[in-house]
Amino acid sequence: MSHDNSNKKKKMELFDVVTNVVVTLFAIINLFPLYWLITSSLKNSSDVVKMPPDWLPTTITFSNYMDVFQSQPAARWAFNSVLVSGVTTILVIAVGAMAAYAFSKINFKGKNIIFIIFISSLMIPKEIMIVPLFRIIQDFGMVNSYQGMIWPNVATAFGVFLLKGFFDATPNALREASRIDGAGEWRTFLQIMLPIIKPGIGALFILNFVQVWNDYLWQLVIGQEKNMKTLMVGTATLMQDLNPNFAYKMAGATVAAIPMLIIFLLFQKYFTQGMTAGAVKE
Amino acid sequence: MKLRNQSIKESLTGYLFISPQMLIFLVFLVYPIFEGIRLSLYQINYTSEKFVGLDNYVTLFNDPIFFKALLNTVVFVVFIVVLTVGFALFVSSAVFDKNAKYVSFIRGSYYVPVMVSMVVMSMVWSFLLNPANGLISYFSQEMNLGTVNLLGKTTTVLPVIIFVTFATNVGQAIILYIAAMVGVPKDLFEAAEVDGANRWHVITKILIPSVSSTTIYIAIINIIAVLKIFVVIQLLTGGGPNNASVTLMYYLYNNAFKYNQLGVASAVGVIMFLITLLLSVPQLRALIKDM
């Protein structure tokens, strides 16, 4: 019996090893398109379509990147993306933190029902309301403007959802002590509570920044002038570009991807923290 | 009396703190929902609006492309969500108890495509799938299958888009599952081991049931994400060939911004809104129960 058991155990260990080899293999295959993206962008226009392909670029050239920045306002697109993602995220944090603090620490009438309404809005993608949203922005005269790109993206309860969890984890005594010491609610919020939830704000900043950076459909309809496109939308227009050089298109896509890759490498732990803070109950 | 004043004051402070979020929310989220419903009952031209009742919905239900889009969207949702949940469970249950470096490598390599966005991944895949000079065509020639145009055939276009979307987005589910599995109490596994359960039993009998709330969450966010699938369609197929890959979101976009059929587009939006509302009910129930 015990012999049988240890045999079984060995079999299961083998099963574990095999599954992990498969998982690792898939992980590497999953990264291959990105490898191909970056190496293709460094090839010249004839090498990129060579058959059989060069698995490693034989000659490395940055001319495709030069092309992208010379023939397209790619620097402007990048600036637009940084500005729109940055400002949107700062606003999301500002209004989200205020609301999250109230939902977590202040007792007010109807709080639970309002919170549920806020959270249920997370389920509704703004894309399906693109027609009325576009007309509202049009009425405000905000088509082709940064404001038009920013405000609808601030209308997300994601910040409230995420930061409320962080406020919930802070002791109530802290707020009470601050109030007894004579600090007003606003001062308590700004000087005592906000600094404590810095990790939450960090996680929200990164998650939201990436989300707005990668936003496509809304920015596509709102930034119609060439100079008002974000990097994602501008890059996608290279697909319709008459230039048949794939290396050039891959260079454009790489320019859009690199900032996100760097952010991910630097802040990996924030992603896990932020995504799971709202979603995973322990 | 003083106490009552205090509670009124507290309430006011609360409303004040939520008011900026509330205002933005009302203008850019709640109002558009009602405005969308209203617009769906109108025929809209550049300058005029005419009330037409349910005409836009009648138009939709007489348009075979709408049903094609609806059907394709359902197919995408079902296949992508099942693939995502299944594969993410497989990956995370294999790695969740391994050492931290390995786990973070796995998490990272599956999440990087999510990071770099559907736009970038669609561009790479369009190159890989290009019939003239893409890598996939090269492999098929090597295997003597001739050049293949997977995106140009009505039979292969859906599976390819399902695969591309799944491969790009599965990383998020993997991150959520690993986090949930790491949180499962260790003594459960120890008790199982004492009882002689093997890894397979532990995974199927303890691990997967323990993360069922994460499964529901992943399923719902993915259903809603796939419902609005757009980028990959626009960049890879343009809805073709012969509308074989058109989706609801793509159909909505075309009606609104190409054919200037804003009323019809709004009607599609209302239908999609009702679908998401229906789908989010279980998640909301869970949320309310938690509170």
Side-chain angles (χ1 to χ4, degrees):
Chain A
M1 189 65 196
S2 81
H3 177 75
D4 189 41
N5 246 347
S6 80
N7 232 349
K8 249 190 188 167
K9 206 163 189 187
K10 266 204 190 114
K11 246 190 211 161
M12 286 327 287
E13 268 164 24
L14 188 69
F15 164 78
D16 193 25
V17 169
V18 171
T19 49
N20 273 287
V21 169
V22 173
V23 164
T24 312
L25 212 67
F26 275 142
I28 292 162
I29 295 172
N30 205 40
L31 288 176
F32 179 78
L34 279 169
Y35 169 79
W36 204 237
L37 164 78
I38 294 169
T39 50
S40 299
S41 76
L42 297 168
K43 292 175 181 172
N44 62 45
S45 56
S46 59
D47 281 354
V48 76
V49 291
K50 212 161 87 184
M51 302 261 180
D54 293 333
W55 297 106
L56 286 164
T58 44
T59 48
I60 288 182
T61 170
F62 288 95
S63 64
N64 303 304
Y65 289 89
M66 309 266 277
D67 270 5
V68 169
F69 280 96
Q70 274 162 8
S71 65
Q72 307 290 339
R76 175 67 190 258
W77 295 342
F79 170 79
N80 293 345
S81 280
V82 172
L83 185 90
V84 170
S85 314
V87 175
T88 305
T89 303
I90 289 167
L91 288 169
V92 165
I93 291 171
V95 298
M98 281 176 69
Y101 175 70
F103 284 123
S104 176
K105 297 291 181 214
I106 303 174
N107 283 316
F108 57 92
K109 275 217 174 78
K111 158 167 142 168
N112 283 347
I113 188 86
I114 299 174
F115 185 67
I116 288 170
I117 294 171
F118 264 58
I119 295 311
S120 35
S121 75
L122 279 175
M123 306 282 169
I124 300 157
K126 67 175 183 309
E127 284 85 350
I128 62 182
M129 296 176 285
I130 200 155
V131 174
L133 210 48
F134 183 78
R135 284 166 56 103
I136 293 164
I137 293 297
Q138 214 169 19
D139 289 343
F140 285 153
M142 289 179 182
V143 176
N144 278 314
S145 80
Y146 293 124
Q147 290 218 40
M149 303 172 138
I150 290 167
W151 288 116
N153 274 318
V154 183
T156 168
F158 182 61
V160 183
F161 185 46
L162 191 104
L163 294 182
K164 182 176 178 284
F166 283 89
F167 278 122
D168 285 345
T170 64
N172 282 329
L174 216 63
R175 169 176 173 255
E176 280 150 23
S178 161
R179 299 301 308 274
I180 289 165
D181 286 350
E185 195 75 65
W186 182 244
R187 240 186 99 185
T188 306
F189 166 69
L190 278 183
Q191 295 188 338
I192 311 288
M193 302 304 281
L194 267 190
I196 302 177
I197 61 145
K198 256 189 207 152
I201 294 176
L204 176 58
F205 189 93
I206 288 163
L207 280 171
N208 200 78
F209 190 91
V210 172
Q211 202 189 330
V212 181
W213 183 280
N214 287 342
D215 184 22
Y216 182 75
L217 188 51
W218 179 249
Q219 312 297 12
L220 172 72
V221 301
I222 216 71
Q224 296 168 347
E225 282 165 18
K226 201 160 193 182
N227 275 330
M228 284 309 288
K229 291 190 190 307
T230 55
L231 201 47
M232 268 318 141
V233 178
T235 301
T237 61
L238 300 183
M239 293 293 288
Q240 284 103 43
D241 204 308
L242 291 175
N243 189 337
N245 180 6
F246 259 102
Y248 160 80
K249 297 175 196 218
M250 293 302 104
T254 308
V255 171
I258 290 282
M260 296 301 100
L261 287 173
I262 294 171
I263 288 182
F264 183 69
L265 291 176
L266 289 178
F267 301 109
Q268 216 198 115
K269 94 167 186 261
Y270 280 96
F271 283 94
T272 326
Q273 228 176 43
M275 262 167 45
T276 53
V280 180
K281 296 260 152 38
E282 276 166 31
Chain B
M1 200 59 207
K2 197 172 170 218
L3 213 84
R4 205 166 140 212
N5 271 339
Q6 199 104 39
S7 97
I8 290 174
K9 211 182 144 206
E10 175 110 348
S11 269
L12 272 178
T13 318
Y15 296 137
L16 224 62
F17 268 80
I18 65 166
S19 59
Q21 176 85 66
M22 188 74 119
L23 183 72
I24 294 168
F25 196 72
L26 287 173
V27 176
F28 297 106
L29 225 133
V30 179
Y31 174 68
I33 292 174
F34 290 102
E35 176 70 357
I37 296 170
R38 188 186 73 84
L39 290 177
S40 76
L41 304 174
Y42 282 78
Q43 189 184 52
I44 304 153
N45 288 320
Y46 290 98
T47 48
S48 68
E49 281 178 9
K50 196 176 96 201
F51 183 79
V52 292
L54 295 174
D55 273 13
N56 290 324
Y57 293 90
V58 174
T59 310
L60 275 184
F61 291 126
N62 283 315
D63 184 357
I65 299 172
F66 170 72
F67 284 103
K68 187 85 208 156
L70 187 65
L71 180 71
N72 285 343
T73 306
V74 171
V75 169
F76 284 143
V77 166
V78 170
F79 280 92
I80 294 170
V81 172
V82 168
L83 270 173
T84 302
V85 168
F87 187 74
L89 271 176
F90 167 68
V91 171
S92 38
S93 61
V95 306
F96 80 101
D97 55 350
K98 303 294 182 288
N99 77 61
K101 272 232 168 80
Y102 173 65
V103 172
S104 108
F105 163 73
I106 294 296
R107 224 170 26 200
S109 29
Y110 284 106
Y111 194 66
V112 161
V114 184
M115 267 316 276
V116 301
S117 88
M118 209 64 223
V119 172
V120 172
M121 293 312 286
S122 297
M123 290 177 77
V124 192
W125 280 105
S126 130
F127 179 38
L128 288 168
L129 289 159
N130 187 292
N133 45 36
L135 211 51
I136 288 162
S137 197
Y138 164 74
F139 281 130
S140 106
Q141 278 170 35
E142 283 295 288
M143 293 187 287
N144 288 319
L145 296 168
T147 53
V148 286
N149 186 4
L150 294 174
L151 292 172
K153 275 210 212 118
T154 50
T155 45
T156 50
V157 67
L158 291 193
V160 171
I161 288 185
I162 287 169
F163 175 78
V164 169
T165 314
F166 152 73
T168 303
N169 290 321
V170 71
Q172 194 189 14
I174 291 175
I175 285 195
L176 291 170
Y177 267 136
I178 290 178
M181 287 176 180
V182 168
V184 175
K186 294 280 163 298
D187 42 340
L188 278 179
F189 301 124
E190 280 156 17
E193 201 164 331
V194 171
D195 289 347
N198 60 36
R199 190 173 175 88
W200 176 250
H201 285 139
V202 169
I203 290 173
T204 52
K205 297 271 158 59
I206 299 173
L207 198 58
I208 293 177
S210 303
V211 297
S212 63
S213 67
T214 306
T215 303
I216 295 174
Y217 179 76
I218 289 173
I220 289 171
I221 58 169
N222 273 286
I223 290 170
I224 290 169
V226 178
L227 193 69
K228 57 171 194 176
I229 192 168
F230 175 81
V231 175
V232 66
I233 306 297
Q234 195 198 32
L235 294 188
L236 284 187
T237 68
N242 192 21
N243 291 316
S245 64
V246 73
T247 59
L248 281 180
M249 198 57 231
Y250 194 72
Y251 181 82
L252 192 165
Y253 172 83
N254 275 348
N255 271 298
F257 297 100
K258 270 198 192 142
Y259 315 139
N260 199 36
Q261 295 279 349
L262 293 179
V264 175
S266 300
V268 181
V270 170
I271 290 170
M272 291 178 76
F273 173 71
L274 292 176
I275 297 172
T276 38
L277 212 60
L278 217 70
L279 289 170
S280 54
V281 168
Q283 182 68 13
L284 282 179
R285 273 223 188 111
L287 259 171
I288 293 167
K289 239 199 305 188
D290 272 359
M291 283 175 54

